Structures are given as C-alpha cells and as structure tokens.
Amino acid sequence: NDNLPLLDCVADVQVVFSLDYKGNGAADWFTPVFVFRDPTTEVVTTTPLTAEQIRNQVKEVRVYVLAHEGQMDKSYTHPVTNICVGEPVGSLCSHGRFLNISTNVNYRWKVYTLVVKPSNLK
C-alpha cells in the first residue's frame, strides 16, 4: 500500500460557521460547531439548526487544522506553548480555542485554514 497522509500529526481541528442569523444576506456571526445563536432572541443555544436554517443562514465555513511540519527537532523550540486554533485577535483566540503544546515544543507547528463559501445550499 503506497498511501501517504496529507498531514502528519494533526493535534486539533476546529470548525466554525459564519451565519446570517439576521436574514440580511451578510455574515453576522461566527459560531463553533453545535453552538448557534437563535435569530429571534439572539441567545446562544446548543440546539442545532434545522436543515432549512442551515440552507438560509450558513454563509461561510472555516476549518482550522493544527499540525506540525516535519519531525521532532531537539534544537528547535516553538516560540509559544499556547497556539490559537482559530482566528488570533491580539491575545485572544476568536472563533476557536488555544491548545497547549508545552509537551511538544520541539516541533514546528502550523495552523492551516480552509475557507469555504457555499453557493448551492438553497
């Protein structure tokens, strides 16, 4: 078998949706998977969207993948121990979370971001 993985050692994956919960055609809010904002009350809930709500509200899907490049390198120390798997905003990690890599600092870590704008949901 000659199969090769696309990525070695994926440490974390975060999936985030951009929703048009106001119904104005614009992406209003990013939400982690399975956490949604009710469009009528604007209250955050863990109730999943219905299929119709998904078709009407999802404007963008972002996938953040934390993986290391190459093998362990004892002569290298990653500059930070808490890596934002999401959108870094100053010292915060918006639309994702921090992952502590303090036991694996001898790898070159990288966050890959995939952005998909669905165009045929309706």
Side-chain angles (χ1 to χ4, degrees):
N1 190 351
D2 293 333
N3 293 339
L4 294 174
L6 292 175
L7 289 173
D8 286 324
C9 192
V10 173
D12 193 32
V13 175
Q14 295 291 309
V15 179
V16 180
F17 296 109
S18 169
L19 301 177
D20 173 16
Y21 71 92
K22 293 180 182 175
N24 60 9
D28 301 309
W29 193 67
F30 280 85
T31 178
V33 174
F34 303 122
V35 178
F36 302 102
R37 185 176 297 221
D38 185 300
T40 53
T41 63
E42 297 192 15
V43 172
V44 174
T45 177
T46 56
T47 304
L49 295 176
T50 65
E52 181 181 2
Q53 288 172 315
I54 290 170
R55 285 191 299 275
N56 291 330
Q57 293 183 28
V58 174
K59 297 301 177 196
E60 184 177 280
V61 179
R62 290 180 179 237
V63 180
Y64 302 95
V65 179
L66 175 63
H68 66 69
E69 300 176 308
Q71 301 297 317
M72 179 188 287
D73 181 354
K74 296 267 186 194
S75 66
Y76 173 81
T77 301
H78 198 76
V80 296
T81 56
N82 284 317
I83 298 177
C84 175
V85 185
E87 292 292 327
V89 179
S91 63
L92 302 175
C93 187
S94 180
H95 317 308
R97 70 177 187 144
F98 282 104
L99 187 71
N100 187 312
I101 54 112
S102 60
T103 59
N104 293 296
V105 294
N106 298 118
Y107 291 95
R108 289 173 172 81
W109 292 97
K110 180 173 181 173
V111 176
Y112 296 90
T113 305
L114 304 147
V115 179
V116 177
K117 294 190 180 205
S119 61
N120 59 351
L121 293 179
K122 292 185 181 187

